[in-house]
Structure formats: structure tokens, C-alpha cells
Amino acid sequence: MVCFFTRLFTMKTRLGCLSKKSDSYSDFSEFLPPARETTARCLKLSTDEVVRWSESFDHLLAHKYGLAAFRTFLKSEFSDENIEFWMACEDYKKIKSSTKLVSKANKIFKEFIEVQSPREVNIDHRTREKTKQSLSDPTPTSLNEVQGKIYSLMEKDSYPRFIRSKMYQEIVNRAYAQGQRRSV
């Protein structure tokens, strides 16, 4: 059986069938390995690592599997545009080629920032216009202001919901149970 975090990456197709908010789900266990499973293929996360995600939003985003769990949670709530935008901005900052920078800037603008875009993020008119102007001659820092606003929005809204969610509690409980089995 596939490990929970492996399932996070393939869960996307299953989420299309769901229509309730994540805390309305009665059971996340279909995405979790059985408690008794201890195969070598199953990722071992310590309880400390998982609990650290609740200490700060930065800890969550910096951890590969924390980010994956958060993305999955947001997808389950049909509100993943903010994290996807934030990740696109992180990739954008790493681009060295000016040609690729222009191309990526246009793609990000059309997908996330433009009014009525497919995955429009919730930003005020002033920020949208300032970002549009900044992207007319893009630099690696052109999206910093708008990315910061989306980060703050997620930190104040989505992140606390994730920490209170049944999904996160299941991850903590599973990590705790896994740790107990290892210490026996």
C-alpha cells in the first residue's frame, strides 16, 4: 500500500469528486496507510516534525511534506490558488534568463493576477495595477509585494484552518502512532 504522503501527490484526481469542506469529511483514512503498516516504502515523519508545522507558517512551507499536505488541504477546500500563486512566485524569483522571466511573468499575470483569470487571487485594485505596471519590465523582485500580501492572507486565514483541520490532526496522530511503534 502506498504511503500517505505519496498519496498526497496523487490525490488531485480524487478531490474533483468531493464537494464538502475538509472538516466536513468524516474520514481521511482512505488517504492514509493502515496504522499497522510499516513498509520500507512508507515515509517516516517524526511527531516533532509534524508538530513543528503548527509552530509557524514558515516551518510548514519549508518542509516538503508540510507544503504537500497544506496544498492538498487547500485543494480539498477548492482554494488552492493562493498557494499555487505563492509557489509560482518562488519559482519566478529563481529565473536568471530575462527572456524566461518575461515569459513566466506573463504566465503568472494571466493565470493569477488578471481580473477574471482562471485562478485569480484576491488582491485589491491598487496592488493589481501596481503589479501590472511592475511586470511591464519584469525583474526577479517584481512580484514580491503581491506575493507578500498573499502570504499574509494564507498565514492569517488558510494556515489556522489547516492546523485545526481533521486532516492535520490525522497526520499528527499517524506520526505519533508511527513513533510509538518504533520505540517498542
Side-chain angles (χ1 to χ4, degrees):
M1 181 161 254
V2 180
C3 181
F4 170 70
F5 288 103
T6 304
R7 290 181 186 189
L8 284 175
F9 296 111
T10 59
M11 192 171 133
K12 187 177 188 178
T13 55
R14 293 181 184 179
L15 289 174
C17 304
L18 303 174
S19 62
K20 297 180 181 176
K21 295 274 188 194
S22 62
D23 279 344
S24 300
Y25 300 146
S26 59
D27 188 14
F28 272 99
S29 63
E30 73 175 277
F31 303 111
L32 300 169
R36 64 191 177 283
E37 182 180 79
T38 57
T39 65
R41 292 184 310 170
C42 193
L43 176 69
K44 307 287 190 228
L45 274 178
S46 74
T47 306
D48 288 344
E49 288 173 307
V50 175
V51 169
R52 203 168 298 122
W53 300 349
S54 70
E55 294 172 1
S56 84
F57 191 45
D58 285 331
H59 279 107
L60 176 71
L61 295 181
H63 195 280
K64 178 180 176 179
Y65 297 108
L67 177 59
F70 186 60
R71 287 178 70 194
T72 300
F73 169 75
L74 291 176
K75 286 176 186 178
S76 76
E77 292 202 327
F78 305 101
S79 63
D80 63 325
E81 65 281 346
N82 288 338
I83 192 65
E84 297 301 327
F85 171 74
W86 182 84
M87 291 172 57
C89 290
E90 289 296 293
D91 289 343
Y92 174 83
K93 290 181 207 179
K94 297 173 188 170
I95 297 173
K96 302 294 183 212
S97 160
S98 59
T99 306
K100 288 181 181 178
L101 202 64
V102 169
S103 174
K104 183 74 168 180
N106 286 330
K107 182 179 179 195
I108 290 172
F109 185 81
K110 286 182 185 341
E111 186 173 352
F112 297 104
I113 299 170
E114 193 170 53
V115 175
Q116 300 296 317
S117 59
R119 304 177 83 189
E120 183 180 355
V121 292
N122 186 11
I123 53 174
D124 60 87
H125 176 73
R126 187 196 69 74
T127 302
R128 188 178 319 278
E129 289 304 311
K130 190 173 178 183
T131 303
K132 183 178 182 178
Q133 185 178 19
S134 176
L135 292 178
S136 64
D137 185 22
T139 68
T141 60
S142 293
L143 295 169
N144 284 0
E145 182 181 346
V146 67
Q147 183 187 21
K149 288 186 183 240
I150 294 303
Y151 176 94
S152 293
L153 181 66
M154 289 189 298
E155 185 177 36
K156 291 176 183 152
D157 181 47
S158 308
Y159 173 64
R161 280 197 328 272
F162 170 70
I163 297 303
R164 291 188 308 265
S165 73
K166 183 175 276 189
M167 179 184 191
Y168 177 69
Q169 296 310 312
E170 289 274 348
I171 295 169
V172 171
N173 293 340
R174 203 44 70 92
Y176 179 75
Q178 195 175 52
Q180 291 296 313
R181 284 193 305 276
R182 276 189 244 145
S183 65
V184 173

